[in-house]
Amino acid sequence: MVQLISRLSPVSQALIATLFTWFITALGAGLVFFFKKINKSVLNAMLGFAAGVMIAASFWSLLSPSIEMAEELGQIPWLTAAIGFLSGGAFLFLVDKLLPHLHLGLDTSKAEGIKTSWQRSVLLVLAITLHNIPEGLAVGVAFGAVAYGLPSASIGGAIALAIGIGLQNFPEGAAVSIPLRREGFSRSKAFIYGQASGIVEPISGVIGALAVISMRTILPYALAFAAGAMIYVVVEELIPEAQQGDEHSRTEIATIGCMVGFAVMMILDVALG
C-alpha cells in the first residue's frame, strides 16, 4: 500500500489522503440514520478524542519535522517554527472573526463573524468547516514535504497523519449530523450537511501540497503554520465544547478521550513514521 502511494505525485497523494478523511467524515455523519440523539457524555468523549489526535499530530507530524527541516535548510529552527506556528493561529483567528458561522446549540443571534442573512443551517456547517481547513492543510503539507526526500519527512509519517485525521473525523461527522437532526433537520439533510463539512479538506490538502512543492524554503513554515492552526481550533473550539455539561463526570470523560486520542495519534506516527 505504501509503495503504491509513493509512486504517485505529492499532489495526487494529498488528494487521495484528504478524500479518505472526507469519506470518514461521511461515515461518521451517517450515524444520523441510526440515532436521533447522542448522549452528551459520548459526544464529549468524541470531541475530546478529536482534540487529543489534533494536539499529538500538531507536534509529532508537524512541529517536530518543521524544526528538523529548518535546521537541514540552514534556517534558525526555533524562529522558523515560532513564526509559522503563530502565523497559523493568527490566520484562523482572522477567519474566525470574518467568516459568518454559528456553533451548535446557540441561537442565530449569536452567530460570529461578519453579520449576514444566511440561513441557520449554512452558518452551522461553516462553523464545522473552520475545523477542517487546518486538517486538510496539514495532510497536504505532509505529503508535499515527502517530495524533497528530507530525512524528517517520510511517506509513512504522512500516511499516519492522514489516518489520525481520519479517525478523529469520524466522531466529528457524528457530532455535526446528529445534533442537526435533534434541531429538526431530516436525517438525509442532516447527513448531507454533516459530510459537507469535510469537503474543504481535499481542497485545502491540494493547496497545501502545491504550495510546499513549489517553494522548498517555505516548507518548515508551512508545517508549523498547519500546527498552529490546528492548536487554535483545539483550544478555541474543541476543548470548550467537549467540556460542556453540568456534571463533573462529563468533563472527566472528555479529558480521558483527549488522552486516548493523543496516545493513538502518537502511536500511529511513531509506528508508521
Side-chain angles (χ1 to χ4, degrees):
M1 179 67 174
V2 174
Q3 292 180 344
L4 179 62
I5 295 177
S6 63
R7 296 173 185 170
L8 302 174
S9 69
V11 175
S12 297
Q13 292 170 348
L15 178 60
I16 292 173
T18 47
L19 285 174
F20 163 76
T21 61
W22 179 20
F23 173 71
I24 300 300
T25 302
L27 285 181
L31 291 180
V32 75
F33 292 108
F34 305 96
F35 305 98
K36 184 176 181 179
K37 295 181 180 180
I38 183 169
N39 182 275
K40 182 58 180 173
S41 295
V42 173
L43 178 60
N44 287 357
M46 287 180 170
L47 292 173
F49 180 87
V53 168
M54 291 179 70
I55 293 171
S58 295
F59 176 75
W60 295 99
S61 300
L62 299 170
L63 267 181
S64 182
S66 169
I67 294 171
E68 293 179 16
M69 291 178 192
E71 191 170 10
E72 291 166 359
L73 295 174
Q75 301 172 358
I76 302 175
W78 62 266
L79 181 60
T80 296
I83 291 174
F85 184 82
L86 294 176
S87 296
F91 171 75
L92 258 292
F93 175 82
L94 291 175
V95 173
D96 189 54
K97 295 299 181 184
L98 296 176
L99 182 68
H101 62 283
L102 176 67
H103 297 290
L104 290 169
L106 298 181
D107 186 79
T108 307
S109 61
K110 295 184 178 180
E112 300 178 23
I114 297 175
K115 298 299 180 182
T116 178
S117 59
W118 291 350
Q119 292 183 353
R120 174 180 174 81
S121 57
V122 175
L123 294 173
L124 288 169
V125 173
L126 285 176
I128 306 302
T129 300
L130 276 175
H131 294 185
N132 293 326
I133 293 175
E135 296 171 10
L137 183 64
V139 174
V141 170
F143 278 100
V146 178
Y148 293 108
L150 298 172
S152 50
S154 67
I155 188 69
I159 292 175
L161 177 60
I163 293 174
I165 295 297
L167 285 175
Q168 65 95 36
N169 273 1
F170 184 83
E172 274 195 353
V176 178
S177 63
I178 295 178
L180 286 177
R181 170 64 176 159
R182 192 173 62 244
E183 291 198 7
F185 286 68
S186 66
R187 294 184 188 275
S188 58
K189 191 172 183 180
F191 168 76
I192 290 172
Y193 280 124
Q195 63 82 32
S197 65
I199 292 178
V200 71
E201 290 195 8
I203 298 172
S204 55
V206 169
I207 291 174
L210 286 171
V212 298
I213 63 176
S214 61
M215 291 185 288
R216 180 177 180 178
T217 55
I218 72 166
L219 179 53
Y221 293 99
L223 287 166
F225 180 95
M230 286 177 56
I231 291 296
Y232 181 91
V233 168
V234 170
V235 178
E236 172 70 12
E237 305 291 348
L238 289 182
I239 290 180
E241 290 179 9
Q243 295 288 337
Q244 288 181 1
D246 297 329
E247 299 177 15
H248 178 64
S249 60
R250 289 178 178 174
T251 61
E252 289 180 337
I253 290 173
T255 302
I256 293 172
C258 184
M259 297 291 291
V260 172
F262 187 98
V264 168
M265 185 64 229
M266 179 178 63
I267 292 170
L268 278 174
D269 193 272
V270 175
L272 298 180

